[in-house]
Amino acid sequence: MAKKIRVLIAKPGLDGHDRGAKVIARALRDAGMEVIYTGLRQTPRDIVEAAIQEDVDAIGLSCLSGAHMTLFPEVVKLLKQKGADEIVVAGGGIIPEEDIPKLKKAGIKAVFGPGTRLEDVVKFFEHAAGK
Amino acid sequence: MQLVDRLLKGDKRAAAKIISMIEDRDAQAQKVVSLLRPHTGKAHIIGLTGPPGAGKSTLISALVREFRSRGKRVGVIAVDPTSPFTGGALLGDRVRMTDVGMDDGVYIRSMATRGHVGGLALATYDAVKVLEAMGMEKVFVETAGAGQSEVEVANLAHTTVIVEMPGSGDSIQILKAGILEIGDVYTVNKADEGGAESMVTNLKSVLPEDREGWAPPVLTTVASEGKGVPELADRLEEHFSYLKKSGRLGEKERIRSEVELRDALTETMLEKLTTSKGGKKLYEDVLDKVASRKLDPHTAAKRLLSGKTG
C-alpha cells in the first residue's frame, strides 16, 4: 500500500477565525490526504507534540491575529529541538508582504495569503511529503 | 531493532512511526509487531462507540484526565472515517483532547478507517499492541461515529462503553439488535440536556440484569464538565476485575485472537496465491471467469487453493 500523506492543520494564537484553516483542511482531504485538525488556540508546543504523535509529513499553520512572526518560527524551532525537523512547515493567513522573506528565513517553507489557489496548496503538500 | 527498543522505553515518536508503518503496510511492519508481542497483554483495552455527536471524544478526554489522576498511563486511538471517493480523511477528534495531549503519560493517535467497515481501521488491532508495548495501562479506542450495526469494537476491547445522548431513540430503536447489545457499560452523555432520564429508563428496560455474572450499568455523564466521570471510571475498573475473576478475560482474548488469525490467514493465503510463480496470472484468470459468470466465487476459491484452474 502506498504511503498516505498526513498533514496537521493547526491554529496557533488567540484569534478565532478558523474558516481558512477549515477550507484548506477540506481541500487536502479531497485530494486524498489524511488531515488532522486540532482546532483553535493552540500553543506552538501543543502543535509540535501533536505533529510528532500523529507522525505527519507536514504542518499547515493558520494565523490571523498578527502574531505569526512569533508563533510560526517557534513551531520550527521546537520541531528542531525534538529532532523532528523533517516535518515541513507552511503558514497562511493575513501575512504582510514584508514578513514573508523573514518567515522563509526562519524555516517556514511556504506562505499562503488570501487569494491563493487551493490547487497550489495541495501541490505544495504533495511535494512536501515527497510525492 | 532500534525503533522497537525506543518504543519499549516509552518513546512517542517511535510509537508514531511504528503505527504509520502498520497503517501503510510497510514491509517491516509484521516483523515489528511480532517483536512487540511479548510486551503486550497487560493493558486494559476500553472501546467507546456510539452515534456521531454523542460526545465520545470529550468523554475520552475526561476519562484520560481521571485515570491520569489515578496514576495510570493512558493511550488513545481515535478512529474517523475515510472518504470512499477520494481516500482522504479529516481526523478531528484531537480538537476535544488538546488539554491532555501534552501530558507525558498520554499518547493520542488519530486513525482513518482506510476502507475498513465496522467502525475501526484494520491497523487498529496492531496499533493497540504498540500502545501496550510502550507501557500504556489503559488504552481507549474511539470508533468512528457508529450507526446500528458497527459492533466490531467489542471484539477488540475488554470493556465496551456505549455512549448515547438524550433523545437519540425511543424504546423501539433501543429494542433493535446490534450496537445496543454489545455494551458492558452504558452512559447517557450530555445528561444536562432534557430527556436523559427517559433515555436511561429505556436502556435499562432492555438490558439484561445479569449477563454471565455482570449487570451492564447505565450511567449519566456530562463529559464537558467532568460530571459522572469518576463513577464511569470506577465501573470500567470493576468490569476489568470482573473479567479477570470470572475467567471471561481469557474468552475475550480468544475471540480477538480468532479475528486476528482469520485476517492474517486471508492475507497470507492471498499473498501466497498472488506472489507464487504464475500465481498472479492464475488469480487474474480466475477473477475474469468469475466476472464473466463462467465460475462462481466458491468454486473459484477452491480451484485457487488447489492450484488448478480447470
Side-chain angles (χ1 to χ4, degrees), chain B residues 137-171:
Chain B
E137 295 153 284
K138 299 281 170 190
V139 175
F140 287 96
V141 176
E142 176 185 346
T143 71
Q148 293 175 318
S149 62
E150 289 90 340
V151 297
E152 191 184 1
V153 67
N155 291 332
L156 171 65
H158 296 127
T159 304
T160 301
V161 183
I162 307 292
V163 186
E164 284 289 345
M165 55 187 163
S168 64
D170 60 14
S171 53

Side-chain angles (χ1 to χ4, degrees), chain A residues 1 3-4 6 25 29-30 32-38 42 45-46 49-50 52-55 83-84 86, chain B residues 12-13 16-17 20 23-24 86-92 94-95 98 101-102 106-110 112 114:
Chain A
M1 200 186 275
K3 203 191 165 310
K4 272 266 177 215
R6 287 170 67 88
R29 182 202 76 179
D30 289 344
M33 300 179 201
E34 289 181 356
V35 182
I36 295 101
Y37 185 72
T38 57
Q42 302 283 293
R45 281 184 63 224
D46 292 334
E49 185 61 33
I52 286 173
Q53 293 188 19
E54 298 287 354
D55 189 33
E86 83 279 7
Chain B
K12 292 184 190 178
R13 191 116 193 274
K17 293 279 174 206
S20 294
E23 286 195 293
D24 293 332
T86 64
L90 190 97
L91 311 175
R94 271 196 112 91
V95 174
T98 45
M102 289 301 293
V106 178
Y107 174 83
I108 303 169
R109 174 70 175 225
S110 315
R114 298 200 184 176

Side-chain angles (χ1 to χ4, degrees), chain A residues 10-79:
Chain A
K11 275 205 53 72
L14 298 176
D15 75 272
H17 306 285
D18 57 357
R19 190 171 161 79
K22 284 177 178 161
V23 168
I24 296 299
R26 184 168 175 186
L28 299 180
R29 182 202 76 179
D30 289 344
M33 300 179 201
E34 289 181 356
V35 182
I36 295 101
Y37 185 72
T38 57
L40 294 171
R41 297 182 191 95
Q42 302 283 293
T43 67
R45 281 184 63 224
D46 292 334
I47 292 167
V48 168
E49 185 61 33
I52 286 173
Q53 293 188 19
E54 298 287 354
D55 189 33
V56 296
D57 302 291
I59 302 173
L61 299 169
S62 167
C63 179
L64 288 88
S65 70
H68 51 271
M69 291 307 283
T70 320
L71 296 168
F72 290 5
E74 181 70 10
V75 170
V76 176
K77 194 181 99 195
L78 289 171
L79 281 173

